Amino acid sequence: MHDLLLMGTIVTPTALLPDGWVAIDSGRIARLGQGPAPAARRVVEYGPDLILPGGIDAQVHSRSQQGQEDFLWTTRAAAAGGITTIADMPYDAGFLVCTADRLRQKAAEAAGQARVDFALWGTIAPDDGPAHISDMARAGACGFKFSTFGTDPERFPRIPADLLARCFEAVAQTGLIAGVHNEDDAMVRARLDAVARAGITDWRAHGLSRPPLSETLAMAQIYETAAATGCSAHVVHCSVARGYALCAAYRQQGFDTTAEACIHYLVLDEENDVARLGGRGKVNPPIRPRAEVEGLWAHLAAGNVTIVSTDHVSWSQSRKSAPAMLDNASGAPSLELLYPLFLTELSRRSLPLSLAARLLAENPARLFRIAGRKGALAPGRDADIAIARRQDWTYDPRASPHSIAGWSPYAGRPLDWRIAATWLRGECVFDGTQVTAEPGHGRFVTPDQP
């Protein structure tokens, strides 16, 4: 007699299994199968709905703007979107997560707010070098984030080439990943000056200031540094097809290189969406023209995209409404839409829905070394489950109780899939309408012990 039985269409990283069931005991998956189901104290039947592994969003910014979002809201949006674990970035406003003490402090604060589970990235302060990397790993960091571009000298600093190599050497000793923001600082700054001299201030300014070459130059540096140091190197967002070809080439040479596609690079394009959205469509690196978007899908179908994420941040509308494109903050909210957007695109492109289980759950769990507990519908794993229902609907962020932002680049977008329920460790945290998990229900997830 199992504690709980969920019945529907099971989605694995390789197949869809109709007439399936998942048996759960003490918050973990006990077994799963098709056909006649075992007995359970509670049975929830979802008919033809998809039973997916709970999503793991590898790139979330809960604290980029003080007083705006925090884990109360990011984890609420995550629960409503079928995301059961978020990996939060270390560039908090006024609080760079660059020491073990700071990481432990953030973990304690997040534990009081989070409605779903969370992992935490660490980083460095340039003046400290790699001194704190090993201590942060012991404190539970899921990986280490660096940047080849200096967004802000204190909150989001550039890490120069030699220092990046020394950091990669230190990260390699921990067995974790080095994730890097991939834009060449010198090229972007030169192009920013050129755009300013030309007097271009509309939506075109952003793409012109950050050309595709600025990404691939940085990616070549990142992957060469990985090759020289033996570090697992992850590019945290790539908007150009050439970048995925570079990643695949290094991987074929035997290096542990990975690359991430944010959902906006797969769904939006520059000439239609950014032209319409203006500042609300500003992200770093930029959203590219439609031809580049189709190139990304070709690489995704070929297996060259490692994971898909959001790079979620809920800037207030005042930070995204400046008339001059470059005066707007970079980033957009999308946590509650990651699964619906990705499933919709997969369906419309006649690609296997099993790719959602692989790129939104299995691969992120492997990347963060948490696959012993997360990322799959498998015996012994946490019963983290998203239920997706085929439904035609249109997203309205103003009507959503799960987003603090009140705006979205996907406002008014027709979707084909909707999250009908989210289960975290065998408990329903979203019932299709309301997020039922209280703050403090989420747990700090740390890498598996080797």
Side-chain angles (χ1 to χ4, degrees):
M1 180 70 70
H2 294 288
D3 293 342
L4 174 66
L5 193 76
L6 305 183
M7 303 180 69
T9 300
I10 293 173
V11 183
T12 76
T14 57
L16 268 63
L17 307 176
D19 192 26
W21 50 265
V22 179
I24 298 165
D25 291 320
S26 301
R28 293 196 174 188
I29 296 172
R31 53 180 172 145
L32 64 160
Q34 287 179 280
R41 295 178 182 86
R42 181 186 180 193
V43 177
V44 183
E45 297 190 21
Y46 287 111
D49 294 350
L50 304 181
I51 300 178
L52 294 141
I56 299 171
D57 193 334
Q59 191 169 180
V60 175
H61 298 263
S62 294
R63 294 178 162 184
S64 286
Q65 183 178 350
Q66 289 181 340
Q68 172 67 4
E69 187 169 34
D70 222 329
F71 286 89
L72 286 168
W73 284 96
T74 51
T75 58
R76 179 173 179 164
I83 306 302
T84 50
T85 304
I86 65 169
D88 206 73
M89 285 294 176
Y91 302 114
D92 300 352
F95 191 83
L96 190 68
V97 183
C98 57
T99 68
D101 284 345
R102 287 190 169 208
L103 190 129
R104 283 190 285 263
Q105 179 181 333
K106 182 173 179 178
E109 292 170 355
Q113 297 183 346
R115 304 168 197 268
V116 302
D117 290 351
F118 62 94
L120 297 178
W121 289 83
T123 188
I124 69 160
D127 289 344
D128 292 340
H132 299 292
I133 284 175
S134 61
D135 287 342
M136 281 188 283
R138 285 190 288 270
C142 65
F144 294 90
K145 173 74 180 296
F146 309 100
S147 181
T148 55
F149 178 79
T151 299
D152 181 275
E154 294 186 6
R155 190 182 77 84
F156 205 147
R158 171 180 175 259
I159 307 301
D162 181 67
L163 177 54
L164 187 68
R166 291 191 286 121
C167 288
F168 271 37
E169 290 171 352
V171 174
Q173 295 298 312
T174 71
L176 301 175
I177 60 166
V180 188
H181 179 113
N182 51 309
E183 293 182 297
D184 183 82
D185 194 88
M187 172 166 277
V188 171
R189 297 199 183 284
R191 294 300 175 93
L192 284 168
D193 289 344
V195 167
R197 289 194 302 272
I200 300 170
T201 61
D202 63 12
W203 60 272
R204 298 170 299 156
H206 192 47
L208 290 172
S209 68
R210 290 170 138 90
L213 182 57
S214 67
E215 277 193 67
T216 53
L217 282 175
M219 292 179 74
Q221 176 195 339
I222 293 161
Y223 292 146
E224 276 297 295
T225 306
T229 60
C231 186
S232 298
H234 179 66
V235 167
V236 299
H237 36 43
C238 178
S239 71
V240 295
R242 174 66 181 159
Y244 294 97
L246 280 172
C247 181
Y250 278 88
R251 195 161 54 248
Q252 289 165 5
Q253 296 169 43
F255 302 112
D256 187 13
T257 55
T258 50
E260 180 173 337
C262 299
I263 191 65
H264 40 260
Y265 300 133
L266 297 169
V267 173
L268 305 175
D269 65 53
E270 183 183 41
E271 63 268 41
N272 295 298
D273 298 301
V274 179
R276 169 178 55 86
L277 293 165
R280 298 185 182 193
K282 182 173 180 272
V283 297
N284 291 336
I287 293 164
R288 303 295 181 184
R290 175 53 52 177
E292 198 72 73
V293 175
E294 297 306 316
L296 265 58
W297 278 102
H299 277 285
L300 189 148
N304 294 334
V305 174
T306 312
I307 63 172
V308 175
S309 70
T310 61
D311 200 3
H312 168 99
V313 57
S314 287
W315 295 111
S316 61
Q317 295 192 52
S318 63
R319 299 288 299 272
K320 299 291 286 183
S321 303
M325 183 67 169
L326 297 181
D327 289 343
N328 291 283
S330 296
S334 49
L335 257 170
E336 66 176 309
L337 289 181
L338 179 57
Y339 252 133
L341 282 167
F342 195 48
L343 288 168
T344 295
E345 288 297 314
L346 290 173
S347 298
R348 292 179 183 179
R349 292 171 180 272
S350 299
L351 291 170
L353 297 181
S354 56
L355 285 169
R358 187 183 312 162
L359 300 182
L360 272 59
E362 182 187 51
N363 285 1
R366 289 179 177 174
L367 198 72
F368 293 129
R369 289 40 170 171
I370 59 173
R373 291 161 292 156
K374 302 288 186 182
L377 303 176
R381 307 285 183 93
D382 286 352
D384 296 350
I385 293 167
I387 307 297
R389 179 167 296 157
R390 178 67 178 83
Q391 179 181 335
D392 296 331
W393 66 294
T394 301
Y395 181 61
D396 180 0
R398 295 170 300 178
S400 171
H402 314 302
S403 171
I404 194 173
W407 67 272
S408 168
Y410 309 105
R413 191 174 191 89
L415 297 164
D416 302 339
W417 290 90
R418 192 165 200 160
I419 297 301
T422 304
W423 297 78
L424 174 66
R425 291 179 265 108
E427 296 185 38
C428 185
V429 295
F430 176 65
D431 62 11
T433 302
Q434 298 295 323
V435 172
T436 55
E438 294 295 327
H441 185 71
R443 297 177 182 172
F444 181 30
V445 179
T446 60
D448 300 329
Q449 294 299 313

